[in-house]
C-alpha cells in the first residue's frame, strides 16, 4: 500500500534521504526540520511535484543535480540550509532544474531563468568553491577546542549526577543535569540536533 502514497512527511531527525524509491506515485515529500546533508535517492520518485527540505543541513548544493530527471518537480523549498546562503544559490537552482516553477515560495520568472542559464557555467564554478570553503570551515570548527566537537553537549561536567542513570537521580540532581544541558552553548549542527532530540526522548521517558 505504501507504494501508492502521494504525500509523505518525515520529521524523525533523519540524516539521509533513503527508502523512498518505491513510492512511485509520491507527489509531495516533506523532509523539513531534519538533519539531511545531501539531496539523493529521489530519482525513482517519478511523480514528485513538491519537495520541502526547509531547515536541514544541506551544504552540497550540487547534489540537486540528481533531480534533473524528476521532470514533474515544480516546487522546492531549501530555506534554512547552509547552501541557501551561497551567492547565486537561486540562480544555480533554477538553471540546473528548469522544471522548477517555484523556489522557496517565490515564483520563477522566464527572464531570471534565462539569465541564470546563460551564466550557469560560471555560477556552478562559484557554487563548487563556496561548497568547498564551507566544508573546510566546518572541519575547522569541529576540530576546535582541542579536537573536541563543539556540539558535544554536556560532554564534560563536574557534576557527579552526569554519570548516574536518570532513574537513580534525585529531583535536585535531575534539575541540575537539565540546567547544565540546556545552558551549554553549541553550534547549530546535525550533531547538536541529534543530542537535543535524544535529551527530549530521555526526559519524556523519565516522566
Amino acid at each position: 500500500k505504501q507504494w501508492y502514497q502521494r504525500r509523505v512527511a518525515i520529521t524523525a531527525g533523519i540524516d539521509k534521504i533513503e527508502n523512498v524509491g518505491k513510492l512511485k506515485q509520491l507527489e509531495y515529500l516533506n523532509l523539513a526540520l531534519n538533519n539531511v546533508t545531501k539531496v539523493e535517492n529521489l530519482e525513482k520518485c517519478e511523480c514528485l511535484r513538491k519537495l520541502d527540505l526547509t531547515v536541514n543541513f544541506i551544504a552540497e548544493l550540487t547534489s540537486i543535480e540528481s533531480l534533473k530527471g524528476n521532470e514533474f518537480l515544480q516546487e522546492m523549498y531549501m530555506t534554512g540550509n547552509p547552501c541557501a546562503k551561497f551567492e547565486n544559490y537561486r540562480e544555480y537552482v533554477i538553471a540546473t532544474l528548469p522544471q522548477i516553477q517555484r523556489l522557496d515560495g517565490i515564483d520563477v520568472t522566464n527572464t531570471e531563468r534565462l539569465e541564470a542559464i546563460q551564466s550557469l557555467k560560471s555560477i556552478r564554478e562559484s557554487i563548487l568553491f563556496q561548497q568547498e570553503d564551507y566544508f573546510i570551515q566546518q572541519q575547522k570548527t569541529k576540530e576546535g577546542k582541542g579536537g573536541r566537537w563543539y556540539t558535544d553537549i554536556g560532554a564534560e561536567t563536574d557534576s557527579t549526577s552526569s554519570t548516574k542513570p536518570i532513574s537513580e537521580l534525585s529531583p535536585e540532581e535531575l534539575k541540575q543535569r537539565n540546567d547544565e544541558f540546556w545552558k551549554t552553548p553549541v553550534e547549530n549542527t546535525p550533531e547538536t540536533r541529534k543530542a537535543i532530540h535524544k535529551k527530549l526522548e530521555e526526559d519524556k521517558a523519565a516522566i
Side-chain angles (χ1 to χ4, degrees):
K1 291 182 180 179
Q2 66 172 352
W3 292 14
Y4 299 98
Q5 286 182 267
R6 295 183 182 276
R7 296 188 177 189
V8 172
I10 302 174
T11 55
I14 63 168
D15 50 24
K16 184 176 182 180
I17 303 173
E18 54 187 353
N19 302 322
V20 293
K22 291 183 178 180
L23 303 176
K24 301 296 184 181
Q25 302 301 316
L26 181 65
E27 296 182 1
Y28 174 30
L29 179 59
N30 185 349
L31 295 174
L33 297 170
N34 279 287
N35 300 327
V36 175
T37 59
K38 181 179 181 180
V39 180
E40 58 186 339
N41 299 323
L42 295 174
E43 297 89 337
K44 294 183 179 180
C45 297
E46 301 167 356
C47 296
L48 189 63
R49 294 178 178 274
K50 182 178 179 179
L51 177 61
D52 191 345
L53 294 165
T54 303
V55 190
N56 275 275
F57 294 93
I58 300 171
E60 189 177 341
L61 184 54
T62 51
S63 65
I64 68 164
E65 294 176 7
S66 65
L67 298 172
K68 287 182 177 180
N70 297 81
E71 58 181 318
F72 297 110
L73 183 61
Q74 299 180 349
E75 191 171 357
M76 188 161 71
Y77 294 82
M78 297 187 73
T79 303
N81 284 277
C83 64
K85 297 180 179 180
F86 291 171
E87 184 178 357
N88 296 129
Y89 147 77
R90 181 176 174 85
E91 289 81 359
Y92 174 73
V93 175
I94 64 177
T96 302
L97 303 176
Q99 69 271 40
I100 294 291
Q101 302 298 315
R102 189 175 177 83
L103 177 62
D104 297 329
I106 302 175
D107 291 340
V108 179
T109 67
N110 291 332
T111 300
E112 67 171 333
R113 191 192 306 280
L114 180 60
E115 292 177 349
I117 290 175
Q118 291 175 340
S119 304
L120 180 56
K121 183 178 179 180
S122 61
I123 289 175
R124 188 176 188 278
E125 291 176 353
S126 173
I127 293 297
L128 287 170
F129 176 81
Q130 292 176 78
Q131 283 181 176
E132 183 64 22
D133 183 62
Y134 175 85
F135 292 135
I136 290 173
Q137 294 304 317
Q138 284 297 103
Q139 188 62 34
K140 288 181 178 179
T141 299
K142 291 175 182 179
E143 293 174 352
K145 291 189 176 181
R148 260 193 61 211
W149 290 75
Y150 276 106
T151 54
D152 286 345
I153 302 178
E156 296 176 2
T157 176
D158 295 330
S159 174
T160 56
S161 68
S162 65
T163 61
K164 291 184 181 180
I166 290 180
S167 60
E168 297 180 8
L169 295 177
S170 67
E172 292 76 15
E173 289 174 329
L174 182 60
K175 182 179 184 303
Q176 181 180 356
R177 178 186 287 190
N178 287 339
D179 288 344
E180 290 172 350
F181 181 91
W182 293 114
K183 290 179 181 179
T184 302
V186 294
E187 296 287 332
N188 182 30
T189 68
E191 292 73 29
T192 305
R193 195 171 288 176
K194 287 178 182 178
I196 291 174
H197 185 266
K198 180 180 179 181
K199 175 61 178 172
L200 292 173
E201 289 298 315
E202 288 178 350
D203 290 349
K204 187 183 299 182
I207 295 176

